[in-house]
Amino acid sequence: MSVASSHHLRPSPAGPARRPGCAAAAPRVALRPGASHPLRSGRAVVAAAAAAASSGGDAAAAAAAAPAPAVVNPAPAARDQVRRHTISVFVGDESGMINRIAGVFARRGYNIESLAVGLNKDKALFTIVVSGTDKVLRQVIEQLNKLVNVLSVEDLSKEPQVERELMLIKLNVEPDQRPEVMVLVDIFRAKVVDISENTLTMEVTGDPGKIVAVQRNLSKFGIKEICRTGKIALRREKIGATARFWGFSAASYPDLIESLPKNPLTSVNRTVNGSFDEPSTAGGDVYPVEPYESLSTNQVLDAHWGVLDDDDSSGLRSHTLSILVNDCPGVLNIVTGVFARRGYNIQSLAVGRAEKEGISRITTVVPGTDESIEKLVQQLYKLIDVHEVHDITHLPFAERELMLIKVSVNTAARRDILDIAEIFRAKPVDVSDHTVTLQLTGDLDKMVALQRLLEPYGICEVARTGRVALVRESGVDSKYLRGYSLPL
């Protein structure tokens, strides 16, 4: 029951004059229906009854002066706090799917902070970062699950996770400033991908905090361009039979079951983040996990991505577009709506903050001919929130993608996988007794080659960003230096 506030209390019209000798009555106030007087307490009730009895009134008058016991108002419920959420959406890839997912957030006024989309021929994995309350985010997840061809939606925010971002940053660096910049490159474990007379382009991979630190330390040199992917994340795998992918790994490596403690009733499995899981009460080889058959292989982005590299007989090829837009709610839905209405199936998409405050950069890859893409660029320029659109396909540019891949292992396979990772310069970022999670940056061919080598070991999860690209100021086109691309 809510308490009537001061602006709800007003004096009632004056009543008839009281007779001499009668006790002075308290001023009458008009209350809302069901509201209680904020100043009347148990002590005031007793005082009113005593005053009525001492003035010559009878017991009935004293009883009449005592109202019903005061009702204690419950404390107001605490409001949900706004916090950052990481949402993973796994869908069947089809034309217009990105626009429909972005529309769910736009209609509710959510500004997507970052978006990374890993695509192949028939599936896509969205990793979306937004800020909001838990209650509203649950409603958004319910709406996403109602979309056709959405396979699963998960909020990874409350679970231990491996999170990574990729950034290409181009600096205005004079020759005498390069030694100082190279020191920072070594400190942050970055890589130089292009260098010219007055510019230097580097690649940085890490968690969001590292990306912000790099940007702040390099801002004094003068940042010319920034191209960032959205954040991607995978859960940190627990240790023991209660882990999510234990059944998947045990089906591939039966010796994992033999290595478990013999008495599961007295053993406690310790997770990677330091918490404890309750021991299993099942005996024998029965564990409370999902059966291997329920883990569909369709839940993994395989390495067969349908990305075009060279022109075919009709002139169709993949075009890389760099779009600068205002950082405001709904802008991604508006931009992707232009692609959807013209039937373009986006092959890659990465959204992140640009070098200017309030501006975001969208890097997308779409198939088409030069004439059709030129018309598409003209349509994008008509949008109010779009500042610049560049088709950098025919220019020398540095391109990078980021991938997190979780592979099932046993003791022997772990050593083999780490050797393969060293060849590809991939870094292990999480390990358990039955999985290894690797982080890899590079171009498309490098991603395909590593994932195909790891497929025989059993791939549990894959999270990918889209392509990010910046024009090479040096003018060197590394595509012709690498030779022919890997056939898909």
Side-chain angles (χ1 to χ4, degrees), residues 160-442:
Q161 56 184 276
V162 179
E163 54 181 2
R164 290 293 185 272
E165 286 188 29
L166 171 64
M167 177 175 67
L168 290 179
I169 181 169
K170 185 185 297 183
L171 303 175
N172 293 316
V173 179
E174 299 297 331
D176 57 340
Q177 295 176 321
R178 287 180 186 171
E180 185 178 357
V181 174
M182 295 307 297
V183 171
L184 294 175
V185 168
D186 292 337
I187 292 174
F188 289 104
R189 299 177 183 176
K191 298 178 182 178
V192 176
V193 297
D194 185 65
I195 189 169
S196 66
E197 184 178 355
N198 297 314
T199 63
L200 184 144
T201 305
M202 67 179 67
E203 160 205 326
V204 186
T205 306
D207 56 72
K210 178 181 177 180
I211 299 297
V212 172
V214 171
Q215 190 171 342
R216 288 179 178 176
N217 281 274
L218 296 178
S219 60
K220 63 180 181 180
F221 300 102
I223 298 176
K224 187 174 183 179
E225 285 183 280
I226 288 179
C227 190
R228 291 174 59 177
T229 68
K231 184 180 77 172
I232 58 174
L234 290 181
R235 292 184 183 90
R236 291 190 180 273
E237 191 72 7
K238 298 180 181 179
I239 295 178
T242 58
R244 186 183 182 199
F245 287 101
W246 170 261
F248 182 87
S249 300
S252 302
Y253 306 101
D255 59 308
L256 290 175
I257 300 178
E258 300 174 0
S259 63
L260 284 175
K262 300 301 181 181
N263 187 4
L265 296 176
T266 59
S267 64
V268 178
N269 296 320
R270 190 179 184 92
T271 63
V272 175
N273 63 336
S275 61
F276 289 89
D277 293 326
E278 292 297 327
S280 171
T281 57
D285 292 335
V286 181
Y287 299 94
V289 295
E290 295 180 356
Y292 172 68
E293 291 76 17
S294 66
L295 291 172
S296 172
T297 56
N298 292 329
Q299 295 291 320
V300 175
L301 288 176
D302 54 44
H304 307 288
W305 307 326
V307 178
L308 306 173
D309 284 328
D310 300 323
D311 294 332
D312 59 13
S313 57
S314 62
L316 187 70
R317 63 171 300 165
S318 293
H319 287 255
T320 303
L321 303 181
S322 179
I323 310 171
L324 288 178
V325 299
N326 288 330
D327 186 9
C328 59
V331 65
L332 181 61
N333 183 41
I334 295 173
V335 172
T336 56
V338 175
F339 293 87
R341 288 192 296 271
R342 286 156 181 78
Y344 285 97
N345 190 21
I346 297 175
Q347 295 175 327
S348 173
L349 182 68
V351 183
R353 291 189 175 93
E355 58 275 6
K356 296 181 181 179
E357 188 69 23
I359 302 295
S360 294
R361 186 183 298 273
I362 300 176
T363 308
T364 181
V365 179
V366 293
T369 61
D370 291 344
E371 294 77 13
S372 63
I373 297 299
E374 183 178 356
K375 294 179 181 178
L376 176 63
V377 171
Q378 294 174 357
Q379 294 297 322
L380 290 172
Y381 264 118
K382 295 179 180 179
L383 301 179
I384 297 176
D385 292 315
V386 173
H387 295 272
E388 296 179 9
V389 184
H390 297 289
D391 182 5
I392 62 176
T393 306
H394 301 290
L395 299 174
F397 62 88
E399 59 171 305
R400 290 294 185 273
E401 295 187 26
L402 172 64
M403 178 173 67
L404 292 176
I405 180 169
K406 184 183 293 184
V407 188
S408 60
V409 297
N410 60 1
T411 304
R414 185 182 297 111
R415 183 66 265 170
D416 296 340
I417 290 175
L418 293 179
D419 289 341
I420 295 174
E422 186 176 357
I423 295 173
F424 284 86
R425 298 177 184 175
K427 296 193 296 185
V429 293
D430 187 57
V431 64
S432 70
D433 57 346
H434 59 281
T435 61
V436 169
T437 303
L438 302 177
Q439 165 195 314
L440 177 68
T441 58

Side-chain angles (χ1 to χ4, degrees), residues 476-484:
V476 177
D477 193 349
S478 61
K479 176 180 178 181
Y480 298 101
L481 300 178
R482 294 195 304 265
Y484 296 103

